[in-house]
Amino acid sequence: MAQLFEQSKKVIEAQLAGTSIRAISGSMVAYEGNVQFKSAGFGGGEGVLNGLKRRATGEKLSLMECNGNGRVFLAVNGQNVTVVNLNNETLQVESQQLLAFAGNLRTDVRFAGVGGMSSGAGLFTTTVSGQGQVALLSAGGPLIHLEVTPQYPLIVDPDAFVASRGNLNQSFITDVSWRTMVGQDAGEAFSLRFDGQGVVLIQPAER
């Protein structure tokens, strides 16, 4: 299986040994060895149903496949990078923050709430499930890991949300008066609420 490493705070190194990874198209900044690149289509799963989901949600997760023997270096606009290991788990991730994944993983599109909001963030997300590694992007600095327990639900700005894992239920809160206090009350303000047991990953900047 290909391996992903945090080569620096802003660059992912993928090590290939007759193996392959999938990454966001255009994210390759350098490579060495005998590596081939080809389009891997769009994330969101296979088949007609998932194709319809992508059209309905506006998901534009254009992927490339990198395979062969060598090293591939990946980065996007100087954003910070983090590698997350999955062991037969599901990671729910905002598609804009997904950089690459390796291993026995499949992607799908998950409907996370009702439409009609002024921001599309958090309404439709990409899920990555199985066993392998996922490389995530974060703006403004490294990802912040926030634990959720049954006693302490978590409220998150949808523009700061990057990913979540664990046994979590996601819902929407539309009465968020704090947005008015920070001057972000345009449109239909809402926040994401997470209940249950798990971890939510956020970035220290808004999209």
Side-chain angles (χ1 to χ4, degrees), residues 73-151:
F73 301 91
L74 307 166
V76 174
N77 297 329
Q79 295 188 69
N80 285 72
V81 295
T82 302
V83 173
V84 175
N85 295 305
L86 295 182
N87 185 17
N88 294 317
E89 301 170 88
T90 296
L91 184 74
Q92 178 181 318
V93 55
E94 198 66 41
S95 61
Q96 299 175 54
Q97 311 305 130
L98 180 61
L99 174 56
F101 46 99
N104 186 21
L105 297 170
R106 97 179 271 278
T107 61
D108 200 354
V109 174
R110 177 177 178 270
F111 178 62
V114 296
M117 302 295 187
S118 59
S119 169
L123 297 180
F124 296 94
T125 55
T126 296
T127 61
V128 183
S129 56
Q131 186 163 10
Q133 296 176 295
V134 183
L136 301 176
L137 296 164
S138 60
L143 281 175
I144 300 167
H145 297 64
L146 300 176
E147 185 177 0
V148 181
T149 65
Q151 295 80 18

Side-chain angles (χ1 to χ4, degrees), residues 2-5 12-16 21 70-74:
Q3 296 291 315
L4 302 178
F5 298 95
I12 289 291
E13 176 184 333
Q15 296 185 358
L16 307 179
I21 65 162
R71 299 194 299 168
V72 179
F73 301 91
L74 307 166

Side-chain angles (χ1 to χ4, degrees), residues 22-194:
R22 283 177 286 172
I24 295 300
S25 296
S27 60
M28 188 275 291
V29 293
Y31 78 94
E32 61 182 28
N34 184 19
V35 181
Q36 294 79 44
F37 302 87
K38 66 178 182 180
S39 172
F42 293 84
E46 306 299 330
V48 175
L49 177 60
N50 285 300
L52 292 174
K53 280 193 212 175
R54 292 195 299 273
R55 290 191 186 93
T57 63
E59 287 282 312
K60 299 186 185 300
L61 185 58
S62 178
L63 300 173
M64 64 178 179
E65 181 178 315
C66 317
N67 66 80
N69 293 276
R71 299 194 299 168
V72 179
F73 301 91
L74 307 166
V76 174
N77 297 329
Q79 295 188 69
N80 285 72
V81 295
T82 302
V83 173
V84 175
N85 295 305
L86 295 182
N87 185 17
N88 294 317
E89 301 170 88
T90 296
L91 184 74
Q92 178 181 318
V93 55
E94 198 66 41
S95 61
Q96 299 175 54
Q97 311 305 130
L98 180 61
L99 174 56
F101 46 99
N104 186 21
L105 297 170
R106 97 179 271 278
T107 61
D108 200 354
V109 174
R110 177 177 178 270
F111 178 62
V114 296
M117 302 295 187
S118 59
S119 169
L123 297 180
F124 296 94
T125 55
T126 296
T127 61
V128 183
S129 56
Q131 186 163 10
Q133 296 176 295
V134 183
L136 301 176
L137 296 164
S138 60
L143 281 175
I144 300 167
H145 297 64
L146 300 176
E147 185 177 0
V148 181
T149 65
Q151 295 80 18
Y152 296 100
L154 181 70
I155 312 299
V156 174
D157 186 325
D159 288 324
F161 171 76
V162 172
S164 64
R165 66 194 298 186
N167 186 21
L168 294 172
N169 294 316
Q170 179 183 314
S171 58
F172 289 84
I173 298 177
T174 56
D175 182 19
V176 281
S177 58
W178 60 265
R179 279 183 175 267
T180 302
M181 299 301 294
V182 295
Q184 298 180 11
D185 58 343
E188 296 182 62
F190 71 101
S191 286
L192 303 175
R193 173 176 172 141
F194 294 90

